[in-house]
Amino acid sequence: KAVPWGYDADAEQEIYWGRFHSLTEPGRYRVVVPDIGESAPFVIANEAYHEVVTMATRAFYLQRSGIAIEDSDNSGVNHAAGHLEPAVLWDDRTTEVDVHGGWYDAGDYGRYLPTAAFAVNQLLYAYANAPEFFADDTLAIPESGNGVPDLLDEIRWELEWLLRMQREDGAVYHKITTHSYPAFSTLPGDDHAQLLL
């Protein structure tokens, strides 16, 4: 039985809340409401979220900067390493800093410390709460098979970049970007604009 949740102004409809803990038979189900319709199919199973968790965590590998991505078998993504050059300070273009690595934040190839730190935090919580989802050799990343849970390997990729973003005085740079974003179809290995810290 669904329980009324209340009116949702964004959806402009009444929302109902349902629990499925009494469903123990694995399978694909739909919620059917007479005179309203039926839901999209959903899975009841011990590993119902396995595929979406794997796809979501593999997305971080596909966003890696400074490494060639060769993922034909899984995602079809393949491109040369990009953004290996040192960055220069925004206000002192003579000072170069090696800040290779990390994850691209979006299609503009910027890498931002606040979103990186937040993502690492959330991934560490995910691992702490369900380490069995992230065993070694589950994400098909270059480090798979090294005896370390794959999610921790992926987090390490970002943490190593975060350490490169720390200044000698302990403060950290906010982001790496270019003066103008590359054209949408530019691959990482083809973007040679000066990186700025």
Side-chain angles (χ1 to χ4, degrees), residues 7-64:
Y7 183 77
D8 184 299
D10 292 331
E12 298 180 350
Q13 60 186 323
E14 291 291 329
I15 304 297
Y16 292 83
W17 178 73
R19 294 185 61 175
F20 299 94
H21 61 280
S22 61
L23 269 176
T24 57
E25 182 67 31
R28 292 177 64 83
Y29 293 87
R30 290 180 184 267
V31 174
V32 177
V33 179
D35 300 324
I36 293 180
E38 60 185 49
S39 72
F42 58 92
V43 174
I44 298 289
N46 288 337
E47 295 187 1
Y49 297 110
H50 183 265
E51 183 179 7
V52 71
V53 167
T54 299
M55 290 179 1
T57 51
R58 283 198 85 254
F60 288 95
Y61 162 62
L62 300 176
Q63 290 295 108
R64 284 186 185 187

Side-chain angles (χ1 to χ4, degrees), residues 9-186:
D10 292 331
E12 298 180 350
Q13 60 186 323
E14 291 291 329
I15 304 297
Y16 292 83
W17 178 73
R19 294 185 61 175
F20 299 94
H21 61 280
S22 61
L23 269 176
T24 57
E25 182 67 31
R28 292 177 64 83
Y29 293 87
R30 290 180 184 267
V31 174
V32 177
V33 179
D35 300 324
I36 293 180
E38 60 185 49
S39 72
F42 58 92
V43 174
I44 298 289
N46 288 337
E47 295 187 1
Y49 297 110
H50 183 265
E51 183 179 7
V52 71
V53 167
T54 299
M55 290 179 1
T57 51
R58 283 198 85 254
F60 288 95
Y61 162 62
L62 300 176
Q63 290 295 108
R64 284 186 185 187
S65 173
I67 187 174
I69 302 296
E70 299 171 5
D71 200 48
S72 300
D73 295 341
N74 295 297
S75 66
V77 174
N78 292 294
H79 59 74
H83 306 102
L84 297 169
E85 304 86 2
V88 296
L89 298 181
W90 184 269
D91 56 354
D92 176 7
R93 307 284 169 103
T94 64
T95 301
E96 292 186 341
V97 182
D98 175 15
V99 286
H100 74 279
W103 299 317
Y104 296 122
D105 195 71
D108 61 21
Y109 301 137
R111 288 169 278 157
Y112 304 88
L113 196 110
T115 51
F118 180 76
V120 164
N121 172 273
Q122 296 300 298
L123 293 174
L124 286 169
Y125 273 125
Y127 181 78
N129 284 299
E132 67 278 4
F133 277 132
F134 307 109
D136 186 28
D137 212 20
T138 56
L139 296 180
I141 60 175
E143 298 83 2
S144 291
N146 67 356
V148 174
D150 282 357
L151 186 62
L152 296 182
D153 283 323
E154 194 57 53
I155 291 168
R156 182 183 190 106
W157 181 267
E158 190 73 343
L159 286 174
E160 288 174 349
W161 174 74
L162 287 170
L163 287 172
R164 286 186 205 100
M165 291 291 285
Q166 187 169 21
R167 301 182 335 197
E168 288 184 19
D169 65 1
V172 292
Y173 298 108
H174 173 72
K175 67 179 179 178
I176 301 170
T177 189
T178 55
H179 189 270
S180 299
Y181 297 132
F184 183 70
S185 61
T186 305

